């Protein structure tokens, strides 16, 4: 029987997890990962907060909730098996005033329904037992929320792909996708490869690569830069674990929070400002083609009209350090501008529908032999092994034929 060839576009943590899952589930497959960069985990995977989410916020029964709960268990086992950092430092979600208590109760309801273990509701006085320098009227404590090194996990996934007989082809930018009978071709400017199946998991460029395959324009990716500050080493004792706000239910962004890292540092952020390039990690990064794609998307114009006040507030926090720190100080009053220094930013691939709706759950589509992952928002890194399991072991329709072979 002829060898079955599967291509995966994207060497971020989700793409690599899928490639690994397919290679391990079906030893007869020949799996090839394609990525335009010279190393894996170059973008969202390598620029995120490093939090393994326990599943507090997500609507019970949603794909986010299901994959997150399954994914964090698989991730914990994987890190233990590979001796990779996995620290259950815990998360404290703090209601700053009485107006946020109702939203905190809803988070507790969702977390309980999702089966998040060890939850504790705390009063304002009791929360200082967890975070001595924090303040608020109430809090929800999740002791199993963890921090990990996601780029290290992604590199381990890549090694597993290679050990299973697959290949990670770096420096291969997919500029054309075609169909030839029951085969799929993926071409770079210099080379064309042929596969029996193709999985598109291109992160910040997921909409563009999906369109190369003939998929619909919607949803489009609007890039939002998340900017961080970092506590100076002498002040990292202000935070023991993770301190999060009660999120605004209108947005998938969580707002400014405190995140301990596996190296011992503590980051503060992110905000959410429009990036002027898909890979616009710095304010000066501007790519006219990317900006034009953003502006001409009808969903962006609807979004901007609907939420311009929030956007202006985020821009002010980006431009004025004291405003950014003031937001963080509402959780840790001792914080001063002298306690922080700029940290590397990330860019979120926010999928937006034509009506301006922010897509908040995973979206996976199918075009015959092609599977398109059009939206993989947080907690995608936490959920990566569960996403791979879904595709490799309980395949949606786009991969059914692969598993009948």
């Amino acid at each position: 029987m002829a060898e079955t060839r599967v291509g995966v576009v994207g060497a971020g943590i989700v793409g690599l997890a899928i490639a690994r899952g397919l290679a391990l589930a079906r030893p007869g497959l020949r799996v090839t990962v394609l990525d335009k960069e010279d190393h894996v985990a170059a973008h969202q995977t390598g620029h995120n907060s490093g939090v393994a989410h326990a599943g507090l916020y997500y609507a019970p029964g949603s794909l986010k909730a299901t994959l997150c709960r399954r994914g964090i268990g698989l991730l914990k086992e994987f890190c233990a098996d590979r001796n990779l950092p996995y620290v259950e430092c815990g998360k404290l979600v703090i209601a700053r005033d009485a107006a946020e208590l109702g939203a905190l109760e809803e988070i507790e309801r969702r977390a309980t329904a999702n089966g998040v273990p060890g939850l504790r509701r705390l009063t304002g006085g009791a929360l200082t037992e967890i975070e001595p320098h924090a303040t608020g009227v109430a809090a929800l404590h999740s002791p199993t929320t963890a921090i990990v090194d996601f780029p290290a996990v992604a590199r381990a996934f890549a090694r597993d792909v290679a050990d299973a007989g697959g290949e990670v082809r770096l420096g291969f930018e997919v500029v054309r996708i075609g169909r030839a009978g029951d085969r799929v071709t993926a071409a770079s400017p210099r080379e064309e490869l042929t596969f029996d199946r193709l999985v598109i998991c291109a992160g910040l460029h997921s909409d563009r690569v999906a369109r190369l395959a003939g998929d619909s324009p919607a949803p489009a990716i609007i890039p939002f830069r998340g900017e961080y500050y970092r506590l100076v080493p002498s002040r990292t004792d202000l935070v023991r674990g993770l301190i999060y706000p009660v999120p605004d239910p209108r947005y998938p962004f969580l707002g400014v929070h405190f995140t301990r890292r596996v190296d011992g540092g503590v980051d503060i952020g992110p905000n959410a400002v429009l990036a002027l390039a898909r890979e616009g990690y710095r304010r000066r990064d501007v790519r006219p083609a990317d900006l034009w794609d953003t502006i001409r998307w009808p969903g962006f114009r609807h979004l901007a009209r609907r939420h311009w006040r929030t956007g202006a507030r985020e821009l002010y926090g980006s431009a004025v350090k004291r405003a950014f720190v003031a937001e963080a100080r509402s959780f840790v009053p001792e914080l001063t501008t002298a306690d922080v220094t700029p940290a590397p930013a990330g860019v979120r691939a926010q999928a937006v529908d034509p009506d301006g709706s922010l897509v908040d759950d995973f979206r996976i589509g199918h075009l015959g032999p092609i599977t398109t992952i059009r939206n993989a928002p947080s907690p995608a890194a936490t959920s990566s092994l569960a996403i791979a399991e879904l595709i490799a072991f309980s395949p949606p329709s786009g991969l059914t034929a692969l598993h009948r072979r």
Side-chain angles (χ1 to χ4, degrees):
M1 185 170 59
E3 181 180 61
T4 300
R5 293 158 296 180
V6 181
V8 177
V9 181
I13 194 168
V14 175
L16 289 167
I18 290 170
R20 174 185 179 272
L22 289 168
L24 296 179
R26 304 288 293 183
L29 300 184
R30 173 73 174 178
V31 180
T32 303
V33 181
L34 308 173
D35 197 282
K36 67 184 178 67
E37 303 297 347
D38 62 3
H39 62 286
V40 304
H43 293 295
Q44 290 186 111
T45 303
H47 293 81
N48 68 23
S49 63
V51 176
H53 295 280
L56 274 69
Y57 309 103
Y58 319 124
S62 67
L63 204 53
K64 262 191 175 185
T66 303
L67 293 177
C68 182
R69 286 302 309 146
R70 175 63 177 161
I72 193 170
L74 294 172
L75 179 64
K76 183 177 181 178
E77 292 174 8
F78 183 85
C79 289
D81 182 62
R82 304 305 173 88
N83 198 30
L84 295 172
Y86 186 96
V87 182
E88 290 185 338
C89 62
K91 174 193 291 185
L92 203 61
V93 181
I94 296 178
R96 289 170 289 187
D97 54 43
E100 295 182 336
L101 290 176
L104 186 67
E105 289 174 3
E106 173 61 14
I107 292 171
E108 184 176 15
R109 184 194 70 79
R110 290 186 174 196
T112 300
N114 290 337
V116 177
L119 292 170
R120 280 202 302 154
R121 181 71 176 268
L122 303 172
T123 64
L127 70 84
T128 59
E129 297 173 9
I130 307 297
E131 291 288 353
H133 300 278
T135 187
V137 298
L140 185 66
H141 184 229
S142 168
T144 60
T145 299
I147 51 175
V148 299
D149 184 343
F150 282 123
V153 172
R155 291 190 294 269
F157 288 171
R159 289 192 294 271
D160 284 354
V161 171
D163 290 345
E167 184 180 11
V168 178
R169 292 284 304 274
L170 299 174
F172 192 109
E173 181 177 4
V174 175
V175 297
R176 188 174 65 257
I177 295 173
R179 298 275 294 275
D182 59 353
R183 299 289 185 267
V184 183
T185 59
S188 75
R190 297 174 301 279
E191 185 179 2
E192 183 174 282
L193 301 176
T194 301
F195 302 103
D196 298 282
R197 296 290 182 269
L198 188 70
V199 181
I200 296 172
C201 190
L204 287 161
H205 301 278
S206 60
D207 56 340
R208 289 172 171 171
V209 181
R211 287 199 299 269
L212 293 177
D215 205 0
S216 67
I221 294 299
I222 304 299
F224 284 90
R225 186 173 60 254
E227 298 164 331
Y228 291 86
Y229 283 94
R230 181 166 293 163
L231 288 179
V232 297
S234 63
R235 296 293 276 167
T236 56
D237 61 342
L238 286 175
V239 178
R240 289 179 173 177
L242 310 172
I243 299 175
Y244 275 55
V246 175
D248 186 331
R250 296 174 298 169
Y251 305 105
F253 311 109
L254 289 175
V256 171
H257 48 274
F258 293 78
T259 306
R260 182 163 287 279
R261 308 298 295 248
V262 293
D263 62 5
V266 176
D267 284 355
I268 308 171
N271 57 3
V273 297
L274 182 68
L276 306 183
R278 294 278 178 119
E279 297 161 13
Y281 300 107
R282 300 167 300 182
R283 294 174 185 171
R284 66 176 180 272
D285 291 336
V286 180
R287 191 170 185 270
D290 290 350
L291 184 56
W292 173 240
D293 276 354
T294 293
I295 293 171
R296 70 176 180 171
W297 179 242
F300 171 72
R301 296 194 293 273
H302 289 303
L303 180 70
R305 283 195 297 268
R306 197 175 301 153
H307 301 296
W308 66 269
R309 288 184 179 84
T310 299
R313 187 168 61 249
E314 292 291 304
L315 281 171
Y316 181 67
S318 171
V320 180
K321 180 180 179 180
R322 67 176 181 273
F324 192 108
V325 173
E327 178 70 13
R329 191 184 297 121
S330 65
F331 299 98
V332 180
E334 296 173 50
L335 187 71
T336 70
T337 55
D339 295 330
V340 302
T341 186
V347 178
R348 177 189 178 114
Q350 178 61 55
V352 178
D353 277 329
D355 65 357
S357 299
L358 298 167
V359 182
D360 192 33
D361 207 350
F362 295 99
R363 279 202 189 168
I364 302 174
H366 311 289
L367 302 165
I370 302 172
T371 296
T372 61
I373 299 181
R374 296 295 299 262
N375 192 47
S378 178
T382 302
S383 307
S384 57
L385 286 168
I387 297 170
E389 190 177 63
L390 174 71
I391 290 177
F393 295 102
S394 302
S397 59
L399 287 179
T400 298
L402 174 64
H403 287 264
R404 288 176 179 164
R405 294 198 173 203

